[in-house]
Amino acid sequence: MPVVALIGAQWGDEGKGHLVDLLASKARLVVRYGGGNNAGHTVVNHLGTFKLHLVPSGIFDPATVNVIGPGVVVNPEVLLSEIKDLEARAVSTAKLFVSERAHVIMPYHVMLDQLQEESRGEGKIGTTGRGIGPAYADKMSRTGIRVADLLHEETLLNRLRVVLEEKNRVLTRLYNAKPLSLHDTYLRYLDLGRQLSDHISNVHPIIHRALEKDFPVLLEGAQGSLLDVDHGTYPYVTSSPPGAAGACQGAGIGPTAISSVIGVLKAYTTRVGEGPFPSEIEGPEADVLRQIGMPWAEVGTTTGRLRRVGWFDAVMSRYAVQINGIDTLAITKLDVLDTLETIKVCVGYRLHETQLEYPPATVAVLSQVEPIYEELPGWQTPTSDIRRFQDMPEAAQAYVARLCQLVGARLGIISVGPGRDQTIVVNEVF
Ligand code: GDP
Ligand code: IMO
Ligand code: MG
């Protein structure tokens, strides 16, 4: 049975939540493997519109088990409030489990993320301010607090005593901020652990039993490959590996268990936050892509920031296909291009007199490249109600086929609207 990793192949917000919701009914298990509440996954289905930050987007299928894996950094307050909201809207979270091994985003992580951003001034990254970078940094420095620690009074107190001493020194001496009280922080996180205790589990047996039994498993990506800490547009990246390798590491499964890697790509490109974006556009064309006023307008799901928009960048997306072993593409938001007379696709970069086929490694060079565009005819027909590939306007078929050819993977799914049913499955995933 397939184990499918569904990953963002641009700079995030490709529509991963939409597709996980669609595919969850075929999976027995959905595992969110990385990132934290920097993610914002929108799901539009028969139950309404949901914006999820930590809970996997497979939660709407009552038969599916949903796991927040060891690679995720968890803000317990955000998770509890998400669980409460879902339950209030009659979505059961009885089959939601969070790994004991996942790291906890503590209040000092959020404070430090924001203070560090302020101190970067012009060089700010444009983080979501949710404490993601500092939480992953502590995990690597081995000073993190894990979900399991919240359930063990003595461990929590001992770890907090050591960590807070250091954090308070940094907060007060470096940033002139207020220190955090050991007593209050300890009691607050102990209480959060108690509130979450029904969901906290050693998720390894859950995941491995599913693999042994050959159940279909879906690994839910957060962020996008171009935000990868190793392979992305460093330092304008997130602090985790959002791709296929991160799926293995963050879920705790081997690469040989993965049968397919689906790369989710918008039919154009967006980016939130700072950093290079060669095919970025501004002006009236950008407004068409932004779709302001529509429910799916390009406004950040987590922070409400306006997303930067641009043409499809085949250089970046091909790179994402290569570093992740993506075999299948899900191309989303095709309907957003419905009104355009012609559509540009970036097929290469020009740097002085040379043409580049791969993204350069440094921001300094990447900021200098000129995109080389190919112009394809638009279809100027609404596509939102189309459900079969053969019913799509010819120019739309040709556009999608060209994207697949340029990036080097087969077409799996096209989406033409935010709703669960607004999808065209060309090649079955499960
Ligand atoms: P994610 O982070 O990858 O899950 O994506 P987001 O939820 O942050 O952003 C995707 C946005 O596009 C959401 O508002 C979705 O409801 C919307 N969306 C997803 N697929 C489609 C589509 O095919 N067409 C349109 N118009 N909107 C879509
Ligand atoms: P989903 O899962 C889009 C971006 C931030 C910033 C950079 C670093 O919804 O696709 P961080 O807070 O992670 O340290 O910020 O990464 N970013 C995202 N952009 N979608 C996301 O998640 C993102 N998660 C982080 O905007 O540029
Ligand atoms: Mg998002």
Side-chain angles (χ1 to χ4, degrees), residues 55-127:
V55 173
S57 301
I59 199 73
F60 304 96
D61 189 282
T64 306
V65 174
N66 282 270
V67 164
I68 298 174
V72 178
V73 284
V74 177
N75 181 323
E77 272 172 348
V78 172
L79 179 56
L80 281 165
S81 103
E82 228 169 275
I83 291 172
K84 207 170 123 211
D85 289 350
L86 286 166
E87 293 285 348
R89 293 175 71 181
V91 179
S92 169
T93 56
K95 291 184 183 158
L96 171 68
F97 300 100
V98 53
S99 169
E100 293 176 322
R101 290 183 168 88
H103 277 247
V104 179
I105 298 185
M106 300 296 290
Y108 45 82
H109 292 138
V110 180
M111 291 166 78
L112 287 170
D113 189 2
Q114 292 165 5
L115 292 164
Q116 283 166 0
E117 273 287 86
E118 271 168 39
S119 73
R120 286 183 189 118
E122 286 289 294
K124 73 173 194 267
I125 293 164
T127 73

Side-chain angles (χ1 to χ4, degrees), residues 12-18 40-42 44 51 266 295-297 301 307 332-336 415-418 422:
D13 302 329
E14 297 89 349
K16 298 175 291 293
H18 177 200
H41 295 177
T42 314
V44 181
K51 293 188 184 296
K266 268 179 194 167
W296 51 82
T301 312
R307 291 178 186 145
T332 61
K333 301 194 94 163
L334 192 70
D335 54 298
V336 171
S415 88
V416 289
Q422 289 181 295

Side-chain angles (χ1 to χ4, degrees), residues 277-298:
F277 183 173
S279 66
E280 182 170 16
I281 50 172
E282 281 160 45
E285 276 175 327
D287 291 339
V288 175
L289 298 187
R290 274 204 189 98
Q291 303 261 304
I292 299 301
M294 305 300 265
W296 51 82
E298 293 297 1

Side-chain angles (χ1 to χ4, degrees), residues 295-337:
W296 51 82
E298 293 297 1
V299 176
T301 312
T302 297
T303 55
R305 288 178 289 180
L306 207 62
R307 291 178 186 145
R308 298 157 65 194
V309 294
W311 300 116
F312 187 88
D313 185 337
V315 181
M316 283 289 178
S317 303
R318 184 168 54 231
Y319 172 66
V321 165
Q322 290 163 353
I323 60 177
N324 291 296
I326 290 169
D327 50 48
T328 305
L329 300 179
I331 296 180
T332 61
K333 301 194 94 163
L334 192 70
D335 54 298
V336 171
L337 307 180

